[in-house]
């Protein structure tokens, strides 16, 4: 009879084993009950599997935690561009901008444009707003090797925010300058009476020689031997490290911040097209123009780019 009830209990799926044992408890001896419970409780593989599963979960969590620790102790994987420089000949530079100094290592075969991008990453100054100086304005299309940049060289950077640029010349002033420029085109500057009295003196004997068909960077020595509006001798010295233009005469030397020069006017001299007459506008109106005559043509573009910078559009 005991066996019959046990068989029924095994076949009954809707009731738990422990409930069946108590239901038929009156018909079974206590010893048989213990044996039956033992028999019914033997299949415990699920608990063992759960334990194994927990162990696997714990191991996985442990691995995740370890990976987290490992990732937190590793250096960031974001590259600053130096990875691509591996194997290239490098040059160490000192970047000086806004009274701050930065150390920069860059490939010697990198271009001036690439240098501007690296300066942007250091200073936050956009390349279009930079004037980069190394023996004159740094050309963007040439490599540092071509312009003979040496290890430890100091690179001067001058630049202002767009708000500063707009504050110098408002759109209204720009329009006025363009209108006046169109009016002046009607008659060449060198034919105007105010300039003829200087040009009629002829070319100075000690003027620097001109070189047609070429553009040169500013020399390391002052540009001398030229005339000013009063017919006196004048020399131009470009102090790049101070961002200043020194205009020197026999009487005195004016030290002018390049950022205060609003405009540069230049025109070839008729009959002597290898020399130019040039004006630096020191104030808001043309009345503040400082005229210099007999500027050698090979330095004209370098002077304009150094004083105004290529990012100036007026």
């Amino acid at each position: 009879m005991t066996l019959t009830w046990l068989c029924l209990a095994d076949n009954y799926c809707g009731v738990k084993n422990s409930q069946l044992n108590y239901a038929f408890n009156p018909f079974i001896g206590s010893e048989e009950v213990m044996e039956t419970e033992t028999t019914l409780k033997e299949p415990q593989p699920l608990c063992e599997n759960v334990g194994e599963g927990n162990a696997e979960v714990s191991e996985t969590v442990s691995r995740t935690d370890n990976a987290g620790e490992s990732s937190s102790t590793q250096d960031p994987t974001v590259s600053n561009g130096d990875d691509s420089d591996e194997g290239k000949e490098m040059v160490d530079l000192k970047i000086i901008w806004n009274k701050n100094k930065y150390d920069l290592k860059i490939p010697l075969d990198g271009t001036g444009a690439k240098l501007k991008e690296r300066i942007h990453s250091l200073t936050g100054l956009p390349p279009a707003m930079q004037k980069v100086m190394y023996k004159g304005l740094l050309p963007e299309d040439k490599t540092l090797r071509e312009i003979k940049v040496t290890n430890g060289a100091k690179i001067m950077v001058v630049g202002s925010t767009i708000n500063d640029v707009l504050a110098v010349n408002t759109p209204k002033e720009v329009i006025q300058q363009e209108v006046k420029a169109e009016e002046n085109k009607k008659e060449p500057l060198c034919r105007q009476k105010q300039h003829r009295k200087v040009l009629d003196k002829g070319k100075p004997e000690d003027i620097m020689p001109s070189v047609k068909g070429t553009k040169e960077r500013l020399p390391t020595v002052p540009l001398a031997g030229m005339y000013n509006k009063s017919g006196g001798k004048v020399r131009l010295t470009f102090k790049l490290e101070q961002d200043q233009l020194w205009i020197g005469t026999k009487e005195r030397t004016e030290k002018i911040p390049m950022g205060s020069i609003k405009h540069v006017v230049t025109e070839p001299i008729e009959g002597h097209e290898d020399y130019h007459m040039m004006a630096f506008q020191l104030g808001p109106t043309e009345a503040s123009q400082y005229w210099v005559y007999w500027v050698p043509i090979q330095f004209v573009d370098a002077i304009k780019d150094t004083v105004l910078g290529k990012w100036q559009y007026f």
Side-chain angles (χ1 to χ4, degrees):
M1 181 176 179
T2 301
L3 294 174
T4 303
W5 287 115
L6 286 172
C7 291
L8 290 172
D10 290 337
N11 293 330
Y12 190 79
C13 300
V15 183
K16 294 183 179 178
N17 292 337
S18 59
Q19 292 174 334
L20 289 173
N21 291 335
Y22 287 115
F24 300 109
N25 197 20
F27 304 96
I28 308 173
S30 60
E31 294 180 359
E32 292 176 350
V33 171
M34 294 298 294
E35 290 177 2
T36 304
E37 289 180 350
T38 303
T39 304
L40 294 174
K41 291 181 179 178
E42 278 179 1
Q44 297 293 335
L46 289 176
C47 294
E48 294 176 1
N49 291 339
V50 171
E52 293 175 4
N54 290 338
E56 292 177 3
V57 172
S58 299
E59 187 177 353
T60 304
V61 172
S62 176
R63 280 201 219 101
T64 304
D65 291 341
N66 291 337
E69 277 184 48
S70 136
S71 64
S72 65
T73 56
Q74 289 177 352
D75 293 332
T77 58
V78 178
S79 171
N80 60 5
D82 293 338
D83 295 342
S84 61
D85 298 339
E86 186 175 355
K88 297 180 181 179
E89 185 178 356
M90 309 295 287
V91 62
D92 291 315
L93 305 177
K94 291 282 186 183
I95 307 298
I96 303 174
W97 173 72
N98 200 21
K99 298 182 180 180
N100 295 319
K101 295 183 179 180
Y102 305 86
D103 293 323
L104 175 62
K105 180 176 285 189
I106 190 172
L108 192 56
D109 291 315
T111 62
K114 182 64 177 177
L115 176 59
K116 282 191 169 186
E117 292 177 5
R118 297 293 294 273
I119 293 174
H120 179 207
S121 65
L122 285 175
T123 64
L125 186 65
M129 305 294 289
Q130 297 176 19
K131 284 197 295 181
V132 182
M133 310 289 187
Y134 180 74
K135 297 179 180 179
L137 196 69
L138 190 78
E140 294 188 8
D141 56 341
K142 292 187 178 181
T143 66
L144 303 185
R145 189 188 299 276
E146 289 174 331
I147 60 180
K148 299 180 181 180
V149 174
T150 58
N151 205 43
K154 293 182 179 180
I155 306 295
M156 308 298 301
V157 180
V158 180
S160 305
T161 64
I162 188 64
N163 291 334
D164 293 335
V165 175
L166 294 176
V168 173
N169 271 14
T170 64
K172 182 178 179 180
E173 291 172 341
V174 174
I175 295 173
Q176 290 174 347
Q177 288 179 359
E178 291 177 349
V179 170
K180 290 179 179 179
E182 288 295 326
E183 292 175 353
N184 291 335
K185 286 181 180 178
K186 296 177 183 179
E187 181 182 14
L189 292 172
C190 58
R191 295 182 186 177
Q192 296 178 12
K193 184 177 180 180
Q194 58 177 330
H195 304 300
R196 282 262 42 110
K197 64 181 182 181
V198 179
L199 295 175
D200 286 345
K201 294 177 63 175
K203 185 168 62 175
E205 295 181 358
D206 56 346
I207 192 67
M208 296 180 68
S210 63
V211 182
K212 287 184 178 181
T214 185
K215 296 180 181 180
E216 296 183 10
R217 279 193 270 167
L218 296 176
T220 56
V221 297
L223 291 175
M226 299 168 291
Y227 289 141
N228 59 16
K229 193 173 182 178
S230 62
K233 286 296 184 67
V234 64
R235 63 184 177 276
L236 303 178
T237 306
F238 297 88
K239 293 290 184 178
L240 302 181
E241 67 279 2
Q242 301 175 33
D243 196 31
Q244 292 181 346
L245 168 62
W246 290 11
I247 301 178
T249 61
K250 184 178 179 181
E251 294 78 17
R252 63 183 181 275
T253 298
E254 298 286 345
K255 300 179 180 181
I256 303 169
M258 292 187 191
S260 67
I261 300 176
K262 306 297 188 298
H263 193 47
V264 176
V265 177
T266 179
E267 182 182 288
I269 298 174
E270 279 188 339
H272 302 275
E273 281 73 15
D274 51 340
Y275 287 93
H276 278 226
M277 50 189 294
M278 180 177 290
F280 302 98
Q281 187 170 321
L282 308 181
T285 66
E286 290 184 359
S288 64
Q289 289 178 337
Y290 189 97
W291 284 95
V292 179
Y293 303 87
W294 304 100
V295 179
I297 190 172
Q298 67 268 25
F299 299 125
V300 169
D301 287 342
I303 292 173
K304 293 174 66 176
D305 289 343
T306 300
V307 172
L308 297 178
K310 292 182 178 180
W311 48 268
Q312 299 257 8
Y313 297 105
F314 42 84

